Amino acid sequence: MKELDISPISRIEGHLDFKIMIEDHKVVDAKAIGALFRGFEIILKGREPEDALIITPRICGVCPTSHNDASARALDCAYDAEVPPNGYLVRSTLLATENTMSHAAHIYVLFGPDLVNMKYSKHKAYPELAKRFSAITGTSYKGAVLTRIKLDEIFAIFGGKHPHTTFVPGGVPCRVKTSDITKAVGILMGVQDFIENTTLGCSVERWLENKSLKDVQAWLEEDEKHANSDLGLIIRYGPDLGLHKIGVGPGKFLAYGVYHQKDSKPWLPGGYFDGKLHELDQSRISEHIKHSWYEGYEGGRHPHEGVTKPYYDPESDDKYSWAKSPRYSDAPAEVGPLARQIIDKDALVLDLAENFGPCVFTRVLARAHEAVRTLAKIKEMLLELDVNEPFYKKPTKPKNAEGIGLTEAARGALGHWINIKDGKIDNYQVITPTAWNVSPKDSFGNNGPIESAVIGTEIADESNPVEVQHIIRSYDPCIACTVHYVTPGKNFTLKVV
């Protein structure tokens, strides 16, 4: 048995360190190593509660709107705020736009280039895959980047800027005009052109008629444009590349619910799936730190009682990551588009999971399918806005309170927990989607979802472990944004080891 260090895993948001133990060309153990300390929980302590609205979006430059949504929802809860229907719709529209942007970047910029790895160079589809998905030069790669930029213009209309649009407890600080809605719908239609002409080879409505693998196979045969679309290529050749045989994971799925509508209820519901679908109970969430560079408690703790006390010991045999280990009912759970679609009981994704299992192939298709569903929903939400009704209702700030803000980033379940004491933040805890997926072992010795998905994988060429990279990137982990904060009046020395 030998150790293979494949750090850093690039072409994700940030860089993830990763080590695998190999025996007879098979992975027998894995360590996902979050090598950067974030520290936002420490930064927020003692500040005004509303500061969280500005500071927490800086956790991630890729999904700041989801953090803004989570912090606003935590303050909605703590302040007992009443959010007008328009407030929910604008928040959900911008969050859905950001998540769709992120899905486009993942499929084409982060995951797609792996399809042109030299391992597949003798496959008949390789020239076409290379033409479309090669990094920087791929035709679809470039088109997706331009489309993503186009979606950013919707933020300019409703949020003023992106990243770091500001939602507030009680709604959104904007007043929308009919012309704003018209502009946003026009931008959306331009994006839909790329999706229909390049990604799908058909209309959004036609793709959404597919409810099973059998339907998809019929769709491929129905029109040459379908089969030769980007998604068509992935569906046709993904199994040839072995994507359906790798990356199973823990088989448990968690979602918090997202895109709250006029009635305050989420379009995509929350829940937990472990073979059966259960209602979400956030009291079952805990964080473990046995194998993380923190100290302060044993076992698992609910985030409201959470502690973020860094303790870096590079010589420790047990601790190996700055990521904590979130668990639901003491079990690791996968979060992300596949989890959301399973918990929403989407017919197509359920059938794909039934046929292929929760593998790399299913995970990538679930993300693409969700992007199409969400694109259609954005237009629907825009047209439901009522410019004659309020977008914000000012709440009363309490002196002492607790709040919970649960939402979904592109990568999965995102939660913020706030404790307010004497008008200031007494404790603030954040569990990101990547913390769920890239978590190290917990107090019970259970691997995190990505670790468990990698274990058991056959490695054809140890000098090119693309199979492991496929699995990791299929989860779309985000390690990008960490903050190393400075205190005025103090001098700090940077030591590079």
Side-chain angles (χ1 to χ4, degrees):
M1 184 165 64
K2 66 178 180 179
E3 182 180 86
L4 183 62
D5 188 343
I6 54 176
S7 308
I9 301 295
S10 58
R11 228 182 326 109
I12 60 174
E13 299 295 352
H15 296 85
L16 172 69
D17 286 353
F18 208 88
K19 295 180 180 181
I20 53 178
M21 299 299 294
I22 298 178
E23 188 171 354
D24 296 329
H25 296 283
K26 180 180 286 188
V27 179
V28 295
D29 197 9
K31 286 186 176 181
I33 305 166
L36 293 173
F37 173 61
R38 189 179 65 210
F40 274 79
E41 292 85 351
I42 299 170
I43 297 170
L44 287 163
K45 191 174 178 65
R47 290 180 176 269
E48 292 289 332
E50 290 88 349
D51 286 355
L53 301 165
I54 304 300
I55 293 174
T56 61
R58 272 72 181 173
I59 289 173
C60 185
V62 179
C63 50
T65 305
S66 61
H67 283 284
N68 192 195
D69 189 49
S71 60
R73 291 185 61 76
L75 292 177
D76 285 342
C77 178
Y79 289 14
D80 194 22
E82 180 184 343
V83 180
N86 278 336
Y88 283 122
L89 287 173
V90 170
R91 287 183 185 178
S92 295
T93 295
L94 292 183
L95 179 55
T97 300
E98 181 174 271
N99 286 351
T100 303
M101 291 165 60
S102 188
H103 288 342
H106 174 262
I107 293 166
Y108 285 100
V109 179
L110 306 179
F111 183 85
D114 272 343
L115 301 176
V116 299
N117 187 277
M118 289 308 296
K119 177 183 177 179
Y120 311 123
S121 60
K122 294 182 180 179
H123 192 280
K124 63 181 181 181
Y126 187 83
E128 190 62 30
L129 290 170
K131 175 185 174 183
R132 300 190 197 188
F133 295 108
S134 290
I136 308 299
T137 60
T139 55
S140 297
Y141 180 108
K142 291 187 286 188
V145 170
L146 293 173
T147 299
R148 189 185 189 281
I149 293 171
K150 201 70 179 172
L151 279 171
D152 234 352
E153 295 177 17
I154 294 178
F155 281 90
I157 295 170
F158 295 104
K161 59 188 175 67
H162 186 249
H164 314 318
T165 303
T166 302
F167 302 154
V168 293
V172 291
C174 67
R175 186 72 196 183
V176 177
K177 303 186 293 292
T178 301
S179 59
D180 295 329
I181 298 171
T182 303
K183 289 176 187 175
V185 171
I187 292 167
L188 207 61
M189 295 291 68
V191 171
Q192 188 168 321
D193 283 345
F194 173 81
I195 299 297
E196 292 182 338
N197 294 324
T198 304
T199 306
L200 300 176
C202 70
S203 69
V204 165
E205 293 77 13
R206 173 62 191 93
W207 169 259
L208 294 178
E209 291 174 3
N210 294 326
K211 304 299 181 185
S212 67
L213 178 59
K214 185 178 179 180
D215 287 348
V216 171
Q217 290 168 339
W219 171 81
L220 287 171
E221 297 171 2
E222 180 181 291
D223 193 313
E224 188 177 341
K225 291 180 180 178
H226 302 175
N228 290 327
S229 67
D230 291 345
L231 191 56
L233 278 179
I234 294 172
I235 294 169
R236 287 161 58 201
Y237 298 117
D240 285 1
L241 306 183
L243 302 184
H244 65 311
K245 294 181 179 180
I246 56 175
V248 171
K252 298 178 175 66
F253 302 92
L254 177 70
Y256 290 158
V258 70
Y259 310 135
H260 294 75
Q261 302 299 291
K262 291 190 294 185
D263 60 1
S264 79
K265 295 179 181 178
W267 170 52
L268 297 179
Y272 175 67
F273 182 85
D274 59 359
K276 294 182 179 179
L277 186 59
H278 307 273
E279 286 188 14
L280 178 68
D281 179 359
Q282 70 87 30
S283 69
R284 293 179 176 271
I285 298 169
S286 61
E287 279 190 299
H288 297 245
I289 57 172
K290 182 176 180 179
H291 294 277
S292 308
W293 287 311
Y294 299 95
E295 61 180 359
Y297 61 90
E298 300 292 329
R301 277 196 182 186
H302 185 271
H304 266 319
E305 284 74 50
V307 175
T308 301
K309 189 176 180 182
Y311 177 73
Y312 181 63
D313 180 7
E315 304 302 321
S316 171
D317 292 331
D318 285 336
K319 296 180 181 293
Y320 60 91
S321 178
W322 282 114
K324 296 181 183 179
S325 301
R327 297 294 184 259
Y328 189 90
S329 294
D330 291 331
E334 176 177 338
V335 301
L338 178 57
R340 283 193 291 267
Q341 297 306 307
I342 285 175
I343 288 167
D344 189 41
K345 296 186 281 190
D346 180 85
L348 175 57
V349 173
L350 286 176
D351 196 58
L352 290 171
E354 180 70 24
N355 279 275
F356 297 111
C359 58
V360 168
F361 188 59
T362 304
R363 203 169 285 122
V364 171
L365 294 187
R367 188 180 303 275
H369 178 63
E370 179 177 89
V372 179
R373 287 190 67 193
T374 307
L375 190 72
K377 189 63 179 179
I378 294 170
K379 181 180 178 182
E380 181 183 315
M381 291 189 292
L382 283 170
L383 296 177
E384 286 185 357
L385 289 169
D386 186 343
V387 298
N388 297 311
E389 294 296 322
F391 288 74
Y392 166 75
K393 186 173 182 179
K394 186 176 181 180
T396 301
K397 177 182 174 181
K399 191 171 183 181
N400 300 291
E402 288 185 347
I404 302 169
L406 303 181
T407 189
E408 293 275 330
R411 291 157 185 82
L414 170 65
H416 287 204
W417 287 261
I418 186 172
N419 294 349
I420 301 171
K421 184 177 180 181
D422 296 328
K424 304 289 185 181
I425 295 175
D426 186 57
N427 193 17
Y428 203 105
Q429 294 294 316
V430 175
I431 302 181
T432 63
T434 296
W436 284 98
N437 287 334
V438 86
S439 62
K441 291 179 181 178
D442 56 33
S443 303
F444 307 109
N446 298 317
N447 291 94
I450 290 180
E451 291 180 341
S452 64
V454 167
I455 293 171
T457 304
E458 297 276 355
I459 306 295
D461 179 1
E462 293 179 11
S463 67
N464 180 27
V466 66
E467 301 88 351
V468 173
Q469 295 172 34
H470 278 320
I471 294 167
I472 294 170
R473 293 194 184 104
S474 74
Y475 282 89
D476 194 18
C478 180
I479 319 290
C481 296
T482 57
V483 162
H484 308 273
Y485 67 100
V486 295
T487 302
K490 291 188 177 182
N491 296 319
F492 291 84
T493 301
L494 174 65
K495 182 179 180 181
V496 181
V497 180

Coordinates of all heavy atoms in Angstrom, one line a residue, residues 3 22 67 70 79 93 115 146 152 171 203 214 217 240 272 278 286 302 315-316 326 337 388 436 455:
E3 N 1.0 5.8 -0.5 CA 0.2 7.0 -0.5 C 0.6 7.8 -1.8 O 1.7 7.9 -2.2 CB 0.6 7.9 0.7 CG -0.2 9.2 0.8 CD 0.2 10.0 2.0 OE1 1.2 10.8 1.9 OE2 -0.4 9.9 3.1
I22 N -3.3 3.7 -2.0 CA -3.6 2.8 -3.1 C -3.0 1.4 -2.8 O -1.9 1.3 -2.3 CB -3.0 3.3 -4.4 CG1 -3.6 4.7 -4.8 CG2 -3.2 2.3 -5.6 CD1 -3.1 5.3 -6.1
H67 N -24.8 33.3 0.5 CA -24.5 33.7 1.9 C -25.3 35.0 2.3 O -25.7 35.0 3.5 CB -23.0 34.0 2.0 CG -22.2 32.8 2.1 ND1 -22.0 32.0 3.2 CD2 -21.4 32.2 1.1 CE1 -21.3 31.0 2.9 NE2 -20.9 31.0 1.7
A70 N -28.7 33.6 3.2 CA -28.6 32.9 4.5 C -28.6 33.8 5.6 O -29.3 33.7 6.7 CB -27.5 31.9 4.5
Y79 N -35.2 38.6 14.0 CA -35.9 39.8 14.2 C -37.5 39.6 14.1 O -38.2 40.6 14.2 CB -35.5 40.8 13.1 CG -34.2 41.4 13.2 CD1 -33.2 40.9 14.1 CD2 -33.8 42.5 12.4 CE1 -31.9 41.5 14.2 CE2 -32.5 43.1 12.5 CZ -31.6 42.6 13.4 OH -30.4 43.1 13.5
T93 N -35.0 35.2 -7.2 CA -34.6 35.4 -8.6 C -33.0 35.6 -8.7 O -32.4 35.0 -9.6 CB -35.3 36.6 -9.2 OG1 -36.7 36.4 -9.3 CG2 -34.8 37.0 -10.6
L115 N -13.0 15.8 -19.7 CA -13.5 14.9 -20.8 C -12.5 14.8 -21.9 O -12.6 13.9 -22.8 CB -14.8 15.4 -21.3 CG -16.0 15.5 -20.3 CD1 -17.2 16.0 -20.9 CD2 -16.3 14.1 -19.7
L146 N -19.1 33.5 -21.9 CA -19.8 34.7 -22.3 C -21.3 34.7 -21.8 O -21.8 35.8 -21.4 CB -19.8 34.8 -23.8 CG -18.4 35.1 -24.4 CD1 -18.5 35.0 -26.0 CD2 -17.8 36.4 -24.0
D152 N -24.9 38.0 -15.4 CA -24.5 39.0 -14.4 C -25.2 40.3 -14.5 O -25.4 41.0 -13.5 CB -23.0 39.2 -14.5 CG -22.2 39.0 -13.2 OD1 -22.9 38.8 -12.1 OD2 -21.0 39.0 -13.2
G171 N -36.7 41.9 3.6 CA -36.9 42.0 2.2 C -35.6 42.4 1.4 O -34.5 41.9 1.7
S203 N -35.6 23.0 -27.4 CA -36.1 24.0 -26.5 C -36.1 23.6 -25.1 O -36.0 22.3 -24.8 CB -37.6 24.3 -26.9 OG -38.4 23.2 -26.6
K214 N -35.5 6.3 -20.3 CA -36.1 5.8 -21.5 C -36.5 7.0 -22.4 O -36.2 7.1 -23.6 CB -37.3 5.0 -21.3 CG -37.9 4.4 -22.5 CD -39.1 3.5 -22.1 CE -39.7 2.9 -23.4 NZ -40.9 2.0 -23.0
Q217 N -33.3 8.6 -23.9 CA -32.8 7.7 -25.0 C -33.7 8.0 -26.3 O -33.1 8.1 -27.4 CB -32.8 6.3 -24.6 CG -31.8 5.9 -23.6 CD -32.0 4.5 -23.0 OE1 -33.1 4.0 -23.0 NE2 -30.9 4.0 -22.4
D240 N -19.3 5.3 -21.8 CA -18.1 4.8 -22.5 C -16.8 5.2 -21.7 O -15.9 4.4 -21.7 CB -18.0 5.3 -23.9 CG -19.0 4.7 -24.9 OD1 -19.7 3.8 -24.4 OD2 -18.9 5.1 -26.1
Y272 N -34.4 15.1 3.9 CA -33.3 14.2 4.1 C -33.7 12.9 3.5 O -34.8 12.4 3.8 CB -32.9 14.1 5.6 CG -31.8 13.1 5.9 CD1 -30.5 13.3 5.5 CD2 -32.1 12.0 6.6 CE1 -29.5 12.4 5.8 CE2 -31.1 11.0 7.0 CZ -29.8 11.3 6.5 OH -28.8 10.4 6.8
H278 N -37.4 12.0 4.4 CA -37.8 12.5 5.7 C -37.9 14.0 5.6 O -37.2 14.7 4.9 CB -36.8 12.2 6.8 CG -36.5 10.7 6.8 ND1 -37.2 9.8 7.6 CD2 -35.5 10.0 6.2 CE1 -36.7 8.6 7.5 NE2 -35.6 8.7 6.6
S286 N -25.2 18.4 13.3 CA -24.1 18.6 14.3 C -22.8 18.8 13.5 O -22.7 18.4 12.3 CB -24.0 17.4 15.2 OG -23.8 16.2 14.5
H302 N -24.4 20.9 17.9 CA -25.3 21.7 17.0 C -24.7 23.1 16.8 O -24.0 23.6 17.7 CB -26.7 21.9 17.6 CG -27.7 22.6 16.8 ND1 -27.8 23.9 16.8 CD2 -28.5 22.1 15.8 CE1 -28.8 24.3 15.9 NE2 -29.2 23.2 15.3
E315 N 1.7 18.0 13.2 CA 2.2 16.7 13.6 C 1.1 15.7 14.1 O 1.4 14.6 14.4 CB 3.3 16.9 14.7 CG 4.4 17.8 14.4 CD 5.1 17.4 13.1 OE1 5.3 16.2 12.9 OE2 5.5 18.3 12.3
S316 N -0.1 16.2 14.2 CA -1.2 15.3 14.7 C -1.4 14.2 13.7 O -1.5 14.3 12.5 CB -2.4 16.2 14.9 OG -3.5 15.3 15.2
P326 N -19.6 18.3 9.2 CA -21.1 18.4 9.5 C -21.7 17.0 9.3 O -21.3 16.3 8.4 CB -21.6 19.4 8.5 CG -20.4 20.0 7.9 CD -19.2 19.0 8.0
P337 N -26.9 19.7 -6.3 CA -28.0 19.5 -7.2 C -28.6 18.1 -7.2 O -29.8 18.0 -7.3 CB -27.3 19.8 -8.6 CG -26.2 20.6 -8.3 CD -25.7 20.2 -7.0
N388 N -46.3 47.4 -8.0 CA -47.1 48.3 -7.2 C -47.2 47.9 -5.7 O -47.8 48.6 -4.9 CB -48.6 48.3 -7.7 CG -48.6 48.9 -9.1 OD1 -48.1 49.9 -9.4 ND2 -49.3 48.2 -10.1
W436 N -19.9 20.1 4.1 CA -20.6 18.8 4.0 C -19.9 17.8 3.2 O -19.5 16.7 3.6 CB -22.0 19.0 3.5 CG -23.0 19.5 4.5 CD1 -23.4 20.9 4.6 CD2 -23.7 18.9 5.6 NE1 -24.3 21.0 5.6 CE2 -24.5 19.8 6.2 CE3 -23.7 17.6 6.0 CZ2 -25.3 19.5 7.3 CZ3 -24.5 17.2 7.1 CH2 -25.3 18.2 7.8
I455 N -13.0 6.3 -2.3 CA -12.5 5.0 -1.8 C -13.2 3.9 -2.6 O -14.4 3.9 -2.9 CB -12.9 4.8 -0.3 CG1 -12.0 5.8 0.5 CG2 -12.6 3.4 0.2 CD1 -12.4 5.8 2.0

